[in-house]
């Protein structure tokens, strides 16, 4: 992805994210404030509805008191309630007439036993016992009470109250109320979007029958009492006046906010993309020219000047780039000369190191032959024949080195070879100061893939380091070849010498790092490079006073890496 594209995406993302967060925050705040205002409004409507209901309840009580006041001067009513047979019809019709005159929708006249003497809303209730209703109404006198009563058309809900009076020797109770229906509740809904509902344990009555009650939209509710029949008895239960408000106004506001913010977001996104395109073009063109100049820079070619006329950061970068190129050209010749000298010096040290490794076995054999000639000259021929193999192996090794170094860069001869035979020859040639390398090498060939000369150089270096690490009191050096889990050959060189600390292990393979007096510091660094040339895995384990173990895993004979 180009710099211009990334800049465009970054500007677009930053613009869209910022505006989206702003839109979400403003929408949330506006919605919360409007919702709070909406809830306060509906709470006020609910309180007003409850106040209206309380006034209606007080009005019912006032009408009952008015009826009771008129009974004191009604002699015919007195005769009727005293049981005069001639006034029976008058008593049956009294509640209906009084109900119409008082504007009530329900009226009962009960005696002290709770027997209905007259019923204005349902004449057939005459002589029915219903003593519980006045008692329950008296227990809910502190709040409006809804009563479910019987009517010719079925159960009817009324806002009811009860009052009593003594007429002659009898205590009479009047139970009256006004019908609660859709039209009654509609008077409390002062807004077309407001719905007032009466929720009772048995049913729900709403001021708008076309709207189904939805409890999730309840904004406010007020508690009142409900008296209904349960079997043959009656009981008090809670009821609610619920005020709901249509959410059309709020949803319209949300829609308008979303539309305007979507429009603002699109406009800001387009403006941000245009600005990003302009900025990216102004940046990417000089940077592209600088990149082309960088790709064509040459330490020996002409100097390049790109965008140096600009007075901004890009011009400063171009000028510093030109200065850097000039400094690089000035130091190129010095660096090249230093590299050549360093290469010749390192090559000389490596040749010296490898030649010394090849001469040590020859020197040991010659010293041994000289000792035999001096002490037992008659055994000289036999000892020479015994040590001749070591001389031949070392001379052949030196001859190979000479031919390789004659080509300056030794060629790696990759082929399948017997690693056990190479290890066995190295062990025979590694006798120093009487230390004999203990070998655990199988007689059967251990075929590996690589260059046998490189493996011989690795083993010679490791054996020499192992022998030199032994204390004067003696120790053991072990050379072992086995099959690795990958199918190749594993060569293990172990000693019981001084070992290495963790700090020494971390620097063991560095060039020219040595802990021995007079050491060159090339042995293990040469081993590391040769192991890499063989594509072999090299590991070392060591601890102070516990010796060191080197493990080389050679590729199997089927390995095909060139």
């Amino acid at each position: 992805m180009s710099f211009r594209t990334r800049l465009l995406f970054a500007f677009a993302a930053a613009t869209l994210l910022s505006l989206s967060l702003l839109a979400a925050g403003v929408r949330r705040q506006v919605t919360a404030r409007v919702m709070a205002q909406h809830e306060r409004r509906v709470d006020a409507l609910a309180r007003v509805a409850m106040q209206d209901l309380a006034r209606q309840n007080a009005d019912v009580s006032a009408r009952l008191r008015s009826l009771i006041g008129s009974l004191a001067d009604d002699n015919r009513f007195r005769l009727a309630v005293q049981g005069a047979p001639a006034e029976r019809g008058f008593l049956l019709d009294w509640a209906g007439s009084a109900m119409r005159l008082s504007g009530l929708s329900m009226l009962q006249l009960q005696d002290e036993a709770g027997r209905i003497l007259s019923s204005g809303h349902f004449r057939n209730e005459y002589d029915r016992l219903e003593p519980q209703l006045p008692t329950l109404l008296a227990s809910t006198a502190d709040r409006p009470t809804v009563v479910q009563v019987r009517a010719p058309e079925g159960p009817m809900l009324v806002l009811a109250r009860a009052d009593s009076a003594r007429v002659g020797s009898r205590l009479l109770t009047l139970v009256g109320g006004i019908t609660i229906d859709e039209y009654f509740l509609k008077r409390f809904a002062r807004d077309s979007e407001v719905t007032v509902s009466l929720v009772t344990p048995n049913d729900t009555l709403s001021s708008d029958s076309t709207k189904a009650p939805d409890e999730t939209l309840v904004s406010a509710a007020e508690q009142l009492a409900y008296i209904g029949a349960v079997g043959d008895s009656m009981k008090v239960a809670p009821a609610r006046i619920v005020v709901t408000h249509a959410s059309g106004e709020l949803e319209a506001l949300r829609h308008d906010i979303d539309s305007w913010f979507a429009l603002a977001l699109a406009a800001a996104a387009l403006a941000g993309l245009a600005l990003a395109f302009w900025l990216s073009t102004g940046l990417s063109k000089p940077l592209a020219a600088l990149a082309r100049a960088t790709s064509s820079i040459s330490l020996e070619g002409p100097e390049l000047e790109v965008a140096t006329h600009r007075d901004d950061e890009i011009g400063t970068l171009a000028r510093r780039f030109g200065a850097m190129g000039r400094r690089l050209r000035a130091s190129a010749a010095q660096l090249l000369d230093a590299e050549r000298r360093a290469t010749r010096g390192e090559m000389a040290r490596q040749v010296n190191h490898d030649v010394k490794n090849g001469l040590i076995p020859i020197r040991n054999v010659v010293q041994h032959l000289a000792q035999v000639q001096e002490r037992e000259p008659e055994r000289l021929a036999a000892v020479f024949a015994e040590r001749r193999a070591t001389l031949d192996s070392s001379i052949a090794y030196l001859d190979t080195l000479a031919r390789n170094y004659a080509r300056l860069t030794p060629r790696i001869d990759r082929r399948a070879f017997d690693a056990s035979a190479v290890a066995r020859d190295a062990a025979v040639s590694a006798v120093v100061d009487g230390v004999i390398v203990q070998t655990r090498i199988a007689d059967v060939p251990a075929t590996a893939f690589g260059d046998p000369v490189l493996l011989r150089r690795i083993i010679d270096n490791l054996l020499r380091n192992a022998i030199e690490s032994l204390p004067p009191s003696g120790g053991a050096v072990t050379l072992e070849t086995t099959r690795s889990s990958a199918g190749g050959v594993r060569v293990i060189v172990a000693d019981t010498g001084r070992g290495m600390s963790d700090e020494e292990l971390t620097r063991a393979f560095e060039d020219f790092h040595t802990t021995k007096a007079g050491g060159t510091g090339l042995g293990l660094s040469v081993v590391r490079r040769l192991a890499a040339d063989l594509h072999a895995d090299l590991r070392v384990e060591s601890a102070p006073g516990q010796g060191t173990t080197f493990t080389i895993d050679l590729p199997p004979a089927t390995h095909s890496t060139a």
Side-chain angles (χ1 to χ4, degrees):
M1 183 183 297
S2 65
F3 173 76
R4 179 183 298 182
T5 304
R6 288 197 297 269
L7 190 60
L8 285 172
F9 282 150
F11 266 78
T15 304
L16 293 175
L17 180 61
S18 301
L19 287 177
S20 298
L21 291 176
L22 177 62
V26 172
R27 183 182 184 277
R28 180 178 179 182
Q29 290 297 322
V30 171
T31 302
R33 290 178 182 272
V34 172
M35 180 63 75
Q37 182 179 3
H38 173 77
E39 290 177 353
R40 288 194 297 269
R41 178 185 177 189
V42 177
D43 286 341
L45 289 175
R47 288 192 297 270
V48 170
M50 197 64 186
Q51 292 170 2
D52 290 345
L53 191 63
R55 282 193 293 269
Q56 293 285 348
N57 186 64
D59 183 60
V60 171
S61 297
R63 296 181 190 186
L64 290 178
R65 285 194 300 271
S66 177
L67 287 174
I68 289 174
S70 66
L71 294 180
D73 300 330
D74 193 339
N75 292 325
R76 190 176 181 183
F77 180 80
R78 285 174 175 270
L79 291 174
V81 297
Q82 293 296 332
E87 301 299 335
R88 177 180 174 84
F90 171 79
L91 184 61
L92 289 175
D93 294 334
W94 178 86
S97 300
M99 185 179 71
R100 286 188 293 274
L101 290 174
S102 62
L104 296 175
S105 304
M106 171 263 182
L107 184 63
Q108 285 183 356
L109 175 65
Q110 296 185 10
D111 62 12
E112 54 273 316
R115 188 179 301 279
I116 298 176
L117 301 178
S118 182
S119 177
H121 64 284
F122 193 15
R123 185 182 178 91
N124 290 345
E125 285 194 320
Y126 171 76
D127 210 27
R128 179 185 177 88
L129 286 173
E130 201 167 73
Q132 295 173 315
L133 181 57
T135 303
L136 294 176
L137 283 171
S139 67
T140 61
D142 59 333
R143 58 191 184 278
T145 303
V146 178
V147 180
Q148 185 183 48
V149 298
R150 290 173 295 277
E153 296 82 7
M156 179 176 66
L157 292 176
V158 295
L159 181 64
R161 288 263 57 100
D163 208 340
S164 60
R166 186 170 291 279
V167 178
S169 61
R170 304 192 68 176
L171 180 64
L172 301 178
T173 300
L174 284 177
V175 178
I178 55 178
T179 304
I180 299 178
D181 55 12
E182 180 178 337
Y183 300 102
F184 178 85
L185 296 175
K186 190 172 292 185
R187 286 181 293 174
F188 299 153
R190 290 173 170 79
D191 192 327
S192 60
E193 295 184 352
V194 175
T195 302
V196 179
S197 303
L198 172 63
V199 182
T200 67
N202 297 329
D203 199 2
T204 299
L205 183 63
S206 175
S207 63
D208 190 350
S209 58
T210 61
K211 296 180 182 179
D214 189 351
E215 289 292 330
T216 61
L217 297 178
V218 171
S219 296
E222 295 287 346
Q223 299 294 325
L224 59 148
Y226 169 79
I227 298 176
V230 180
D232 295 332
S233 62
M234 306 185 79
K235 72 169 187 176
V236 178
R240 290 181 299 159
I241 286 290
V242 178
V243 178
T244 61
H245 194 285
S247 60
E249 181 181 348
L250 182 61
E251 291 301 324
L253 178 61
R254 287 177 176 172
H255 176 72
D256 291 342
I257 292 175
D258 291 343
S259 299
W260 278 105
F261 273 107
L263 181 61
L265 190 64
L270 291 176
L273 288 174
L275 178 61
F277 181 79
W278 178 70
L279 289 175
S280 62
T281 301
L283 287 173
S284 61
K285 285 185 177 179
L287 289 179
L290 190 60
R292 288 192 296 271
T294 304
S295 63
S296 61
I297 191 172
S298 173
L299 294 179
E300 299 177 355
E303 294 186 4
L304 296 175
E305 297 293 341
V306 181
T308 55
H309 60 281
R310 297 174 64 112
D311 57 356
D312 55 8
E313 291 82 356
I314 296 179
T316 302
L317 177 63
R319 287 188 291 272
R320 291 183 178 178
F321 173 76
M324 179 191 68
R326 288 189 293 272
R327 288 195 301 271
L328 288 175
R329 292 184 190 89
S331 60
Q334 299 176 5
L335 179 61
L336 182 60
D337 185 62
E339 287 180 350
R340 289 171 180 169
R341 289 197 300 270
T343 302
R344 287 195 295 268
E346 183 177 355
M347 179 63 71
R349 285 189 293 269
Q350 185 170 341
V351 171
N352 177 63
H353 184 78
D354 289 339
V355 170
K356 285 176 62 178
N357 284 343
L359 289 176
I360 287 173
I362 298 176
R363 184 194 63 187
N364 293 337
V365 172
V366 172
Q367 289 177 350
H368 188 199
L369 293 176
Q371 292 174 357
V372 172
Q373 182 182 14
E374 181 180 350
R375 299 173 186 175
E376 300 176 279
E378 68 281 0
R379 295 187 61 247
L380 182 60
V383 172
F384 176 76
E386 180 183 339
R387 302 300 300 273
R388 182 173 179 175
T390 300
L391 291 174
D392 292 340
S393 175
S394 298
I395 292 172
Y397 171 67
L398 290 173
D399 181 64
T400 303
L401 284 179
R403 283 186 279 106
N404 286 341
Y405 283 123
R407 291 190 291 266
L408 188 59
T409 302
R411 182 177 60 87
I412 300 176
D413 183 15
R414 299 188 185 278
R415 56 187 174 83
F417 68 96
D418 184 3
S420 294
V422 175
R424 196 177 295 109
D425 290 343
V428 171
S429 303
V431 179
V432 178
D433 297 331
V435 177
I436 298 177
V437 177
Q438 301 175 7
T439 59
R440 287 194 289 270
I441 301 173
D443 293 335
V444 296
T447 306
F449 184 81
D451 189 334
V453 175
L454 299 188
L455 178 61
R456 172 66 183 271
R457 293 175 62 187
I458 291 174
I459 298 176
D460 282 345
N461 277 284
L462 293 180
L463 288 177
R464 181 182 178 189
N465 281 352
I467 293 173
E468 291 178 351
S469 70
L470 298 179
S473 58
V477 176
T478 305
L479 174 60
E480 178 181 359
T481 60
T482 61
R483 279 290 175 189
S484 65
S485 59
V489 178
R490 174 170 295 173
V491 179
I492 302 173
V493 177
D495 64 70
T496 59
R498 57 178 294 272
M500 291 183 285
S501 64
D502 291 340
E503 182 180 357
E504 290 173 332
L505 272 176
T506 59
R507 302 189 60 191
F509 294 101
E510 293 182 7
D511 290 337
F512 312 118
H513 173 71
T514 181
T515 58
K516 298 180 292 186
T520 63
L522 290 173
L524 292 183
S525 65
V526 170
V527 168
R528 174 179 55 81
R529 287 193 293 270
L530 295 177
D533 291 340
L534 284 176
H535 303 298
D537 293 331
L538 175 64
R539 300 186 302 278
V540 58
E541 299 175 2
S542 184
Q546 299 182 13
T548 303
T549 300
F550 287 89
T551 303
I552 306 99
D553 283 333
L554 299 169
T558 56
H559 191 75
S560 59
T561 301

